């Protein structure tokens, strides 16, 4: 580990799926962490650039997780502006959480590269944890998951693997200038994934493919914030068109081991009772 790790690592989205796990890993190794969030000290808010400078003072590196998602229009410019400010403040070590097959995410990657930072990019497949730490929990509990996705394979990646990869990228040498595409070890359709969760939870949970319009109407009924509704629409109708039906060796390259399988995730998570009525 290098000497700069005596300074804290700023984790943007430090209360989110990957940021929280990364914070736990750094803390467990005795490394100082600063959580970048609207409830953090100092406060960090993507929508208030005036909060960026104070949050990055005296840190050695930054893990960049964009809220609500890097697929949202304007995310690339915002990430680019943040990266340039960080470099101007002498914080050059930046690790970006990115998404596969998302136009805006790939633009954000290019902005990061152009900033002059010592960058590492973790371009990730759909998180397994979207089924247990997101809007799908309610549907799973109700016994019916209805999405506008057919028989498209997705290599669901575990958030623990992403956090492990981020930890290694931030604390070990040799990862600057690398883009790692992180996927799980096999392709599953959403119907497959729901079936594995049902089996692990010992419940009868149905998967139904619905039309785009039915999905939009269902989201409207849930009164989701407009940016989240837009995002879900984008991810389910644009990104899940088969463009990501490939496996990669990113987890193996960073961690020297195979990625965690969805079945292991489903069994471990079912044991917590989150999917049980």
């Amino acid at each position: 580990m290098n000497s700069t790790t005596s300074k804290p690592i700023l984790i943007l989205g430090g209360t989110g799926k990957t940021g929280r796990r990364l914070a736990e890993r750094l803390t467990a190794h005795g490394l100082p962490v600063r959580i970048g969030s609207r409830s953090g000290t100092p406060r960090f808010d993507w929508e208030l650039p005036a909060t960026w400078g104070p949050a990055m003072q005296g840190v050695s590196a930054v893990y960049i997780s964009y809220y609500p998602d890097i697929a949202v229009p304007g995310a690339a410019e915002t990430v680019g502006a943040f990266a340039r400010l960080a470099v101007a403040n002498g914080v050059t070590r930046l690790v970006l959480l990115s998404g596969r097959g998302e136009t805006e995410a790939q633009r954000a990657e290019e902005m990061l590269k152009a900033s002059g930072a010592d960058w590492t990019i973790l371009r990730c497949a759909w998180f397994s944890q979207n089924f247990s730490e997101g809007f799908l929990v309610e549907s799973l509990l109700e016994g019916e998951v209805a999405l506008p996705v057919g028989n498209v394979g997705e290599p669901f990646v575990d958030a623990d693997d992403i956090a492990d990869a981020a930890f290694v990228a931030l604390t070990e040498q040799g990862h600057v200038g690398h883009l790692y595409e992180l996927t799980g070890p096999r392709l599953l359709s959403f119907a497959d994934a729901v079936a594995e969760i049902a089996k692990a939870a010992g419940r009868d949970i149905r998967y139904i493919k619905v039309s785009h319009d039915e999905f939009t109407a269902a989201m409207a009924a849930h009164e989701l914030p407009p940016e989240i509704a837009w995002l879900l629409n984008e991810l389910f109708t644009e990104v899940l068109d088969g463009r990501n039906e490939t496996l990669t060796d990113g987890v193996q390259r960073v961690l020297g081991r195979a990625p965690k399988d969805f079945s292991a995730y489903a069994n471990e998570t079912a044991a917590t009772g989150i999917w049980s009525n």
Side-chain angles (χ1 to χ4, degrees):
M1 299 211 178
N2 56 35
S3 59
T4 57
T5 49
S6 58
K7 295 178 175 179
I9 291 173
L10 173 63
I11 304 177
L12 303 183
T15 56
K17 293 183 187 73
T18 62
R20 176 169 52 80
R21 288 171 166 83
L22 173 59
E24 288 167 0
R25 283 156 175 73
L26 290 165
T27 303
H29 284 78
L31 299 171
V33 164
R34 182 179 298 167
I35 302 297
S37 70
R38 284 177 287 195
S39 57
T41 310
R43 181 170 183 239
F44 179 89
D45 189 334
W46 279 114
E47 293 178 10
L48 296 172
T51 65
W52 302 356
M56 67 174 67
Q57 294 311 310
V59 305
S60 62
V62 186
Y63 175 72
I64 303 173
S65 169
Y66 187 80
Y67 181 84
D69 191 277
I70 201 163
V72 172
E77 282 75 16
T78 308
V79 167
F82 177 87
R84 290 190 297 274
L85 183 65
V87 171
N89 277 269
V91 183
T92 56
R93 189 73 190 94
L94 305 178
V95 175
L96 175 69
L97 175 70
S98 186
R100 295 179 96 208
E102 298 170 10
T103 307
E104 196 70 6
Q106 267 76 85
R107 285 184 57 236
E109 294 174 4
E110 294 311 313
M111 297 261 191
L112 176 69
K113 292 177 185 177
S115 69
D118 296 328
W119 57 268
T120 305
I121 294 165
L122 305 177
R123 186 191 285 169
C124 299
W126 264 75
F127 299 176
S128 299
Q129 278 74 9
N130 285 338
F131 289 100
S132 49
E133 297 173 30
F135 78 106
L136 289 169
V137 173
E138 202 179 326
S139 302
L140 289 162
L141 281 172
E142 289 167 1
E144 186 173 291
V145 177
L147 297 171
V149 187
N151 200 26
V152 175
E154 175 65 29
F156 295 99
V157 65
D158 198 283
D160 286 325
D161 284 347
I162 301 168
D164 285 344
F167 175 82
V168 167
L170 285 161
T171 60
E172 297 180 11
Q173 302 293 331
H175 300 286
V176 171
H178 287 271
L179 185 157
Y180 298 109
E181 195 154 338
L182 306 181
T183 71
R186 63 192 169 111
L187 295 169
L188 293 92
S189 67
F190 272 77
D192 294 335
V194 169
E196 294 222 2
I197 288 169
K199 183 180 167 195
R203 293 186 48 225
D204 181 25
I205 307 173
R206 292 197 308 155
Y207 178 81
I208 303 169
K209 182 183 186 296
V210 293
S211 72
H212 179 225
D213 290 345
E214 286 172 299
F215 181 61
T216 308
M219 283 196 298
H222 278 276
E223 296 179 357
L224 295 167
E227 67 274 16
I228 302 293
W230 179 90
L231 174 66
L232 293 175
N233 206 32
E234 172 78 4
L235 294 178
F236 281 117
T237 56
E238 289 293 319
V239 180
L240 286 165
D241 61 358
R243 70 182 69 175
N244 291 329
E245 280 189 296
T246 50
L247 303 175
T248 65
D249 63 351
V251 171
Q252 186 76 44
R253 281 168 57 211
V254 187
L255 301 176
R257 62 164 174 79
K260 188 169 164 183
D261 189 78
F262 190 86
S263 292
Y265 155 76
N267 287 323
E268 282 172 25
T269 308
T272 69
I274 187 134
W275 297 314
S276 306
N277 286 334

